[in-house]
Amino acid sequence: MVYGAILAGGTGSRMGAEIPKQFLALQDGRPILIRTLQPFLKCPQIEHILLAVHADWLAYTKRLLHQWAPKSVVVTCFVGGSDRNETMGCILQEMDRLCAAPDSILVTHDGVRPFVTVDLLERSIAAARQYGAAIAAIPAVDTIAQSEDGLTVSGLLDRSKLIQVQTPQTFQFGLLRQMYRRTDAQQLVNMTDAGAICVAQGQPVHLVTGSRLNLKITTPEDLKMAEWIDHIMADDERHLQSGRSGKA
Amino acid sequence: MVYGAILAGGTGSRMGAEIPKQFLALQDGRPILIRTLQPFLKCPQIEHILLAVHADWLAYTKRLLHQWAPKSVVVTCFVGGSDRNETMGCILQEMDRLCAAPDSILVTHDGVRPFVTVDLLERSIAAARQYGAAIAAIPAVDTIAQSEDGLTVSGLLDRSKLIQVQTPQTFQFGLLRQMYRRTDAQQLVNMTDAGAICVAQGQPVHLVTGSRLNLKITTPEDLKMAEWIDHIMADDERHLQSGRSGKA
């Protein structure tokens, strides 16, 4: 069985907004979180979606789900932790409560990456089935440099070997649970995500080709870009549909 | 005196297009290269612009300049080299032909980064005057990982110290010429750009805050994003102008 898990516990302090960014609206008033959820709902393999949010926004999220999400896929909505790794812990607990089998696939994804596609979800699931752990990534486009002080460049990295890690990050559930159990709280503090925990434990992590459009919305500038991408994708969808109905 | 230099020698093989990407049109049929040139034309400090293109596209570029560029700023259009560093060499030669003073400022920029702003150009010029060398950069947003084989993750980097390098890369001309003279042909092969050459030679390179919108157009996906950014920026400009004329 395949589970989707969307991490949406952030409170959005970086946006300077009172509303956490995953609840800000794209076109037609549709919140980013709902836009993120839709490919999960459309993906034929995903049978159950776990949605981790902040306690203050639990009731609000449930109302959004009633308004926007069809009832065809089960969505469990619950309170996540105070950071990414705590929230992953809550998701793993929820998987245990659901008696998920160790060979289940868990597709984890940022609540503020609304432009994930069904195709990327399907390739992630296939790769995790085959390799145990798979993360979406794109080649680094800009030159990546190091700066110790944020004012001057202290070194340059060999771009040809660098990749930008995105989500989905997809795992065999049993394997991921084992990785988290082996990592103590002290180590977790230095880990950015589940992919990092696998790498630290020597678990091979397979790469799946992501997309530059699969951006993470963290600043007002990103939100602006997201609005445009949403418009383009909606246009493409309309063209595709008018093409299918023989009008194009 | 301040010189702008736009590197537009690429032949666009990565886009799968017959026309190099800098000549592809954004809105109103305006080519990307012309869109890139415009903030340079508008920037009050920049008095002379050097434009390096491929030999096959020299005549075409000159026709574009006649059509689109006002005659208020001198634009010298000439043939660049077969890669970025050779083109930089051609630009430095051109600066010598123009008898540029060593304390002149040279603002170098990618021909396929059309959304550079006058503000970013001005901050780059000010920083290069003060520190000798200044490059635009933004904090790395995604987690950056290493992959030796492109298939699996081999290591993760500490994102807090990583930056994505963009252009403009701005230099005191005498300093930059010295750096290039000290770097032999063999070393140049491993250098991605002028900023890298400064770092390799121990010359401090100051950071100027770039923008996520200042993207480099390298793939069809980027071109699509660029079309939207161009539309929104044009809208913003119109709103700003109607505001200034008291209509908003």
Side-chain angles (χ1 to χ4, degrees):
Chain A
M1 185 157 160
V2 181
Y3 297 80
I6 296 174
L7 291 89
T11 50
S13 52
R14 268 200 283 183
M15 288 291 279
E18 293 195 12
I19 302 178
K21 49 197 179 291
Q22 60 273 31
F23 298 114
L24 297 175
L26 292 175
Q27 65 172 346
D28 311 326
R30 195 167 43 157
I32 289 170
L33 180 59
I34 295 294
R35 183 70 183 71
T36 306
L37 184 65
Q38 278 165 342
F40 281 78
L41 294 169
K42 278 189 200 160
C43 177
Q45 287 101 314
I46 296 175
E47 293 175 65
H48 194 134
I49 298 166
L50 307 179
L51 184 48
V53 297
H54 191 274
D56 293 349
W57 292 87
L58 185 64
Y60 182 84
T61 305
K62 286 180 178 172
R63 283 201 300 277
L64 286 183
L65 290 173
H66 284 295
Q67 187 184 346
W68 294 94
K71 301 287 166 291
S72 53
V73 181
V74 183
V75 180
T76 304
C77 190
F78 56 98
V79 174
S82 65
D83 64 20
R84 194 179 179 85
N85 280 314
E86 264 191 47
T87 297
M88 274 301 296
C90 298
I91 289 167
L92 294 176
Q93 271 178 20
E94 194 60 36
M95 290 286 282
D96 275 329
R97 289 188 52 212
L98 293 167
C99 307
D103 65 347
S104 303
I105 298 295
L106 179 65
V107 188
T108 70
H109 188 64
D110 294 326
V112 288
R113 276 196 205 265
F115 305 118
V116 59
T117 59
V118 173
D119 173 63
L120 179 52
L121 292 173
E122 291 187 329
R123 287 185 289 114
S124 298
I125 292 164
R129 274 219 174 92
Q130 191 173 351
Y131 302 103
I135 61 177
I138 53 172
V141 183
D142 290 321
T143 299
I144 304 290
Q146 284 167 308
S147 175
E148 295 297 321
D149 57 4
L151 295 174
T152 55
V153 178
S154 53
L156 286 164
L157 303 170
D158 177 3
R159 181 176 57 179
S160 65
K161 289 178 183 163
L162 296 183
I163 50 171
Q164 293 175 226
V165 173
Q166 304 182 327
T167 68
Q169 300 195 358
T170 309
F171 306 93
Q172 287 171 17
F173 167 56
L175 178 80
L176 185 64
R177 188 173 47 182
Q178 200 177 41
M179 295 289 132
Y180 267 81
R181 280 185 185 155
R182 282 191 197 152
T183 310
D184 65 32
Q186 194 53 44
Q187 291 172 302
L188 269 183
V189 173
N190 299 314
M191 301 287 170
T192 49
D193 57 27
I197 288 166
C198 288
V199 171
Q201 300 245 350
Q203 163 64 38
V205 176
H206 198 78
L207 295 174
V208 175
T209 306
S211 160
R212 201 89 71 87
L213 296 182
N214 180 28
L215 88 165
K216 185 173 180 178
I217 302 174
T218 51
T219 66
E221 210 172 47
D222 299 334
L223 183 64
K224 206 163 186 179
M225 268 170 100
E227 284 166 0
W228 313 332
I229 294 173
D230 193 37
H231 273 286
I232 311 171
M233 289 179 98
D235 276 353
D236 285 354
E237 185 84 0
R238 273 192 290 275
H239 287 144
L240 207 63
Q241 284 174 353
S242 68
R244 276 188 194 133
S245 61
K247 283 182 218 158
Chain B
M1 185 158 160
V2 180
Y3 297 80
I6 296 175
L7 291 89
T11 51
S13 51
R14 268 200 282 185
M15 287 292 278
E18 292 194 12
I19 301 178
K21 49 197 179 292
Q22 60 273 32
F23 298 114
L24 297 175
L26 292 175
Q27 66 172 347
D28 312 325
R30 195 166 43 158
I32 289 170
L33 180 58
I34 294 295
R35 183 71 183 72
T36 306
L37 185 65
Q38 278 166 343
F40 281 79
L41 294 169
K42 277 188 202 164
C43 178
Q45 288 100 314
I46 296 176
E47 293 175 65
H48 194 134
I49 298 167
L50 308 178
L51 184 48
V53 297
H54 192 274
D56 293 349
W57 291 86
L58 185 63
Y60 182 84
T61 305
K62 286 180 178 172
R63 283 201 298 278
L64 286 182
L65 290 173
H66 284 294
Q67 188 184 346
W68 294 95
K71 300 287 167 290
S72 52
V73 180
V74 183
V75 180
T76 304
C77 190
F78 56 98
V79 174
S82 64
D83 64 21
R84 195 181 177 84
N85 280 314
E86 265 191 45
T87 298
M88 274 301 296
C90 298
I91 289 168
L92 294 176
Q93 272 177 19
E94 195 59 37
M95 290 285 282
D96 275 329
R97 288 186 54 211
L98 293 168
C99 308
D103 67 347
S104 303
I105 298 296
L106 179 65
V107 188
T108 70
H109 188 64
D110 295 326
V112 289
R113 277 195 204 266
F115 305 119
V116 60
T117 59
V118 173
D119 172 63
L120 179 53
L121 292 173
E122 292 187 330
R123 286 186 289 113
S124 298
I125 293 164
R129 274 220 176 92
Q130 191 172 352
Y131 302 104
I135 61 178
I138 53 173
V141 183
D142 290 321
T143 298
I144 305 290
Q146 284 168 309
S147 174
E148 294 296 323
D149 57 4
L151 296 173
T152 55
V153 177
S154 53
L156 287 165
L157 303 171
D158 177 3
R159 181 176 55 180
S160 66
K161 288 179 183 163
L162 296 182
I163 50 171
Q164 294 176 225
V165 174
Q166 304 182 327
T167 67
Q169 301 195 357
T170 309
F171 307 93
Q172 286 172 17
F173 167 57
L175 179 80
L176 184 65
R177 188 172 50 182
Q178 199 177 43
M179 296 289 133
Y180 267 82
R181 281 185 184 155
R182 281 192 198 150
T183 310
D184 65 33
Q186 194 52 45
Q187 292 172 302
L188 269 182
V189 173
N190 299 315
M191 301 288 168
T192 50
D193 57 26
I197 288 166
C198 288
V199 171
Q201 299 246 350
Q203 163 64 37
V205 176
H206 198 78
L207 295 175
V208 175
T209 306
S211 160
R212 202 89 71 87
L213 296 182
N214 180 28
L215 88 166
K216 186 173 180 177
I217 302 174
T218 52
T219 67
E221 209 173 48
D222 299 334
L223 183 65
K224 210 163 186 177
M225 267 167 98
E227 285 166 0
W228 279 85
I229 294 174
D230 193 38
H231 271 286
I232 301 294
M233 287 180 99
D235 276 354
D236 285 355
E237 184 85 0
R238 272 192 290 276
H239 287 145
L240 207 63
Q241 283 174 355
S242 69
R244 276 189 195 134
S245 61
K247 284 180 215 156

